[in-house]
Amino acid sequence: MSCVIIVDDQSSNRMVLSKLAATLEPGVHVEAFADPIEALSYVRGHTPDLLITDFQMPTIDGAELIRRFREVSSCRNVPAVVVTAHEDVRFRALAFEAGANDFILSPLDHDEFRAQSRGLLEMRRSGQLTKRLVDTRAAQSAGRGASTDQIDMLNGLVEGLAANVLLKIGEIAHLSAEMRTLLEAIGTAAIFVDDNLLIRQFTQPASELYDLKTQDFGRPLTEIKCKLDYTNLIADFGQVVLAGKTFERYLQSREGRRLYRLRTVPIKDGRGLVLGAILIFTAIPAWHEHLTAKWTH
């Protein structure tokens, strides 16, 4: 029997979340708390299978709750979900850095809530969910890259969050602004382009891979000097637009010293039409390069 913990200082939110959680599977046990401190006290003696928490609370916020939750040894690999509003991109970045696995956008879509929660419970049961905190900047300053699991988690978060935002917004300008804020917060190189490969947004780390400047907004990405060995940009982008699916490729820097994983994630409107894409570049640590070098050709 699964145990789900709900933490929200608003009684109406607790009631809705508790009722939804009770429908996730037969026999699920739900515990709801208004005070995050009480929830932490409870999990020290009762290990849950899923934590769902609001972010803004009067005692400690959702990020701090998850940070302390992860300090409980039995809860290190328990999935944690944060409920945030559309505009709370910075909150999502903070919660992600603290150890959140996923986000649920408010106002709640009940079917989406059930699908996300059931998926996390299944991953918990199957042992597929191994949560490690991602701090790319700290790792780089310490002279080491992010692990493979961390890279996968980061890309999964970005792609999943983009899908959730698109489901409710369906408009490229708003999406790119929100996603840029999130990606900037976690130090990710990303470039947003429209369906003509014109540059709409980019994060500061992306300027280390392309010679990008503010005045380049509206220019074709193909006209910008790339510091990576990437001759298939147009073909890859065409495939993303045609198939409407994420495309992945490994790229080397021109001097051959660094390896990057590129994921090109399509941006769609409410009808499923591709409006553009997000190009997300993740540096692969040197110790892992020999495992992925075969994908660069």
Side-chain angles (χ1 to χ4, degrees):
M1 181 174 68
S2 297
C3 176
V4 178
I5 302 295
I6 306 293
V7 186
D8 197 307
D9 62 304
Q10 299 294 320
S11 59
S12 58
N13 293 343
R14 287 198 308 277
M15 180 180 67
V16 172
L17 290 168
S18 296
K19 286 184 176 180
L20 286 173
T23 67
L24 294 178
E25 56 188 38
V28 64
H29 176 68
V30 181
E31 289 284 345
F33 299 89
D35 186 352
I37 303 301
E38 291 183 8
L40 288 169
S41 177
Y42 178 85
V43 301
R44 291 187 180 97
H46 308 81
T47 304
D49 297 291
L50 176 63
L51 168 68
I52 300 172
T53 179
D54 187 26
F55 189 93
Q56 292 182 297
M57 294 179 286
T59 50
I60 60 174
D61 63 26
E64 182 59 26
L65 168 61
I66 292 176
R67 188 173 292 108
R68 298 187 191 184
F69 181 74
R70 293 290 179 222
E71 292 175 353
V72 179
S73 59
S74 61
C75 297
R76 288 173 183 166
N77 295 321
V78 174
V81 179
V82 179
V83 179
T84 65
H86 293 298
E87 64 272 17
D88 295 338
V89 179
R90 178 59 183 168
F91 293 164
R92 291 196 283 274
L94 291 172
F96 174 74
E97 291 170 354
N101 296 96
D102 207 347
F103 304 90
I104 295 175
L105 295 181
S106 178
L108 292 177
D109 180 305
H110 292 190
D111 291 336
E112 183 180 321
F113 173 89
R114 292 188 184 96
Q116 286 180 259
S117 300
R118 285 169 179 160
L120 289 168
L121 285 172
E122 181 57 35
M123 292 177 71
R124 163 75 169 160
R125 277 191 293 268
S126 65
Q128 295 178 27
L129 187 69
T130 302
K131 179 70 182 77
R132 296 195 181 112
L133 303 182
V134 176
D135 190 342
T136 305
R137 288 175 175 170
Q140 291 174 342
S141 65
R144 60 186 188 278
S147 72
T148 307
D149 287 343
Q150 290 171 335
I151 292 168
D152 289 340
M153 188 185 306
L154 171 60
N155 285 319
L157 171 68
V158 170
E159 191 166 355
L161 181 57
N164 287 339
V165 173
L166 283 170
L167 185 65
K168 296 178 173 62
I169 296 176
E171 195 270 315
I172 191 171
H174 194 166
L175 171 68
S176 62
E178 287 213 345
M179 290 300 297
R180 178 184 176 184
T181 303
L182 171 66
L183 292 163
E184 287 278 16
I186 52 183
T188 300
I191 303 171
F192 302 78
V193 296
D194 65 14
D195 56 351
N196 291 313
L197 259 179
L198 301 182
I199 300 164
R200 297 305 180 190
Q201 294 274 1
F202 62 86
T203 63
Q204 186 58 38
S207 62
E208 299 175 5
L209 305 179
Y210 276 83
D211 286 335
L212 288 164
K213 302 176 180 61
T214 304
Q215 55 265 35
D216 291 325
F217 289 145
R219 289 185 61 191
L221 184 59
T222 52
E223 294 182 359
I224 308 301
K225 181 181 178 181
C226 182
K227 302 175 185 178
L228 303 177
D229 186 12
Y230 190 20
T231 58
N232 297 314
L233 171 61
I234 296 177
D236 290 353
F237 183 74
Q239 182 172 331
V240 170
V241 172
L242 183 64
K245 296 180 180 179
T246 298
F247 183 85
E248 183 175 300
R249 175 184 292 278
Y250 285 87
L251 303 169
Q252 284 185 325
S253 60
R254 291 193 180 278
E255 67 273 16
R257 296 179 181 177
R258 298 299 303 274
L259 187 67
Y260 292 84
R261 185 162 90 175
L262 166 63
R263 288 171 66 86
T264 304
V265 182
I267 299 173
K268 303 177 184 178
D269 64 11
R271 297 170 296 173
L273 298 176
V274 176
L275 301 176
I278 311 172
L279 284 71
I280 304 167
F281 300 84
T282 307
I284 302 298
W287 56 264
H288 187 58
E289 289 187 8
H290 70 283
L291 297 177
T292 53
K294 63 180 181 180
W295 298 104
T296 60
H297 301 290

